[in-house]
Amino acid sequence: MLEEVERWLSTRSWSVADRPLHQVMAAKQRTGQTISVVLPALNEQETVGDIVAVIRHDLVEQVPLVDEIVVVDSGSTDRTSEVAARAGARVVHRDEILPRVPPVPGKGEVLWRSLLVTGGDIVCFVDADLREFSSDFVTGIVGPLLTEPDVDLVKGMYDRPLAGTSGQGGRVTELMARPLLNMHWPQLAGFVQPLGGEYAARRSLLEQLPFPVGYGVELGMLVDALHLAGLDALAQVDLGVRKHRHQDGQALGRMAAAIYRTAQLRLARGHLVRPSLTQFVRGEDGFEPRTYSVDTEERPPMVEIAEYAERKVA
């Protein structure tokens, strides 16, 4: 490991316990910064309501740390929007944001568009499929942004159990993202969960970053933030344990392909000869191929969008 990364681990890796809620709240009052929590959601009716309810109870009603909770529905066919609204979130449909730009499926697409419908100085992203959710996830990752003026982006780190076994979650992280980062961006080798969906950043940074539309958004954001802001502007906080719905192997394969494509673009901005991934499933007559396109589109930095600039002026 690089000496720079070893130093970073000792100075930019914290635990949620390092900043108690009263300290985080005092920092918010002192700095006057506002906080938006964004949950990108697609068919998460089973979990999104509980997450919103916990954040609203603990960090809006009990202690006014969070200024807005926004669920961006990415085209759900279940009751996700209804459940989220009932729990106290403002729900916005992806297709209603910046309608002149036709939306495409993907998590990064939703995160990018969320910048247009939120107002916080700090934007905190939380996945909508978490179980046994604690508001520590929010306080943990926004805390350093309120107390450390030279920190611009904070990732959550945690244990990710799989089928009851500790440390076995995060398979795409271990098989794809971590090798890529160690080989090509060794300064980022200290991140425990580089693909984790719980992170917070200053709007002033997020609006300058391009957003891969799909699963590559987390890796792309880390790499681009490193180049734009430097390693010392990035940090991570130990949040304990993250429990969520795990995807099957083929879905993980598609995720890995998108992440590789994101890395490839940042390595060379080159041409991908075949932007697709073929996988196999067993059918009645043996194995049958299924070919999926790999996310190749990226959204430009939000500061380049006219509607965003007009909103800031207004």
Side-chain angles (χ1 to χ4, degrees):
M1 183 176 289
L2 295 177
E3 182 177 339
E4 179 183 8
V5 176
E6 292 182 352
R7 179 192 55 78
W8 178 85
L9 280 169
S10 66
T11 61
R12 286 292 185 264
S13 293
W14 296 295
S15 166
V16 65
D18 292 335
R19 292 174 180 81
L21 180 55
H22 68 83
Q23 180 182 340
V24 174
M25 191 62 211
K28 174 183 168 68
Q29 293 172 335
R30 183 174 64 253
T31 62
Q33 296 178 87
T34 54
I35 298 172
S36 301
V37 176
V38 173
L39 284 77
L42 176 62
N43 294 330
E44 303 293 356
Q45 66 176 18
E46 300 299 326
T47 51
V48 68
D50 290 341
I51 298 171
V52 169
V54 168
I55 297 172
R56 172 160 289 280
H57 176 269
D58 293 358
L59 304 180
V60 176
E61 297 170 353
Q62 295 295 311
V63 176
L65 179 69
V66 170
D67 296 279
E68 61 177 347
I69 307 169
V70 179
V71 170
V72 183
D73 192 325
S74 187
S76 298
T77 57
D78 65 1
R79 297 172 55 249
T80 290
S81 290
E82 177 187 341
V83 170
R86 184 179 300 166
R90 175 162 62 92
V91 178
V92 185
H93 195 282
R94 174 200 63 196
D95 297 358
E96 298 171 354
I97 307 170
L98 199 62
R100 72 170 176 84
V101 179
V104 297
K107 180 182 180 182
E109 176 83 352
V110 173
L111 300 185
W112 181 72
R113 290 176 186 263
S114 75
L115 296 181
L116 266 167
V117 293
T118 55
D121 302 308
I122 294 170
V123 183
C124 173
F125 298 117
V126 176
D127 280 351
D129 66 342
L130 303 187
R131 301 183 183 278
E132 301 178 28
F133 177 79
S134 166
S135 59
D136 284 349
F137 272 52
V138 174
T139 57
I141 55 180
V142 303
L145 294 166
L146 292 168
T147 61
E148 309 289 334
D150 53 349
V151 170
D152 291 335
L153 185 149
V154 181
K155 294 280 294 188
M157 57 176 167
Y158 25 63
D159 294 317
R160 296 179 66 181
L162 176 64
T165 303
S166 177
Q168 295 303 304
R171 291 161 287 172
V172 175
T173 294
E174 300 303 328
L175 297 174
M176 175 60 73
R178 198 176 308 287
L180 281 172
L181 292 175
N182 276 264
M183 288 188 290
H184 300 297
W185 297 281
Q187 287 178 294
L188 298 174
F191 277 94
V192 176
Q193 296 291 352
L195 302 185
E198 287 65 54
Y199 50 98
R202 301 190 192 281
R203 176 177 295 273
S204 57
L205 173 66
L206 292 172
E207 65 186 14
Q208 298 182 69
L209 300 178
F211 276 61
V213 298
Y215 285 120
V217 62
E218 275 85 21
L219 183 134
M221 189 177 294
L222 265 187
V223 171
D224 293 338
L226 172 68
H227 289 295
L228 188 64
L231 182 60
D232 282 342
L234 314 180
Q236 60 184 350
V237 172
D238 188 348
L239 304 176
V241 178
R242 182 187 197 266
K243 297 181 180 181
H244 65 111
R245 170 177 46 79
H246 292 279
Q247 302 196 54
D248 62 33
Q250 293 214 336
L252 296 178
R254 297 191 291 275
M255 185 185 301
I259 289 165
Y260 178 77
R261 168 60 172 172
T262 300
Q264 182 196 44
L265 282 172
R266 279 150 182 78
L267 285 169
R269 297 293 169 181
H271 175 64
L272 184 62
V273 176
R274 186 171 179 267
S276 60
L277 174 72
T278 298
Q279 298 176 317
F280 294 87
V281 296
R282 183 180 290 281
E284 293 181 0
D285 299 319
F287 286 104
E288 301 174 356
R290 298 285 189 274
T291 300
Y292 302 88
S293 62
V294 174
D295 295 317
T296 59
E297 188 171 357
E298 296 199 3
R299 295 305 189 189
M302 189 56 78
V303 289
E304 298 177 9
I305 301 300
E307 288 88 341
Y308 187 78
E310 291 168 1
R311 191 192 72 163
K312 293 186 73 174
V313 170

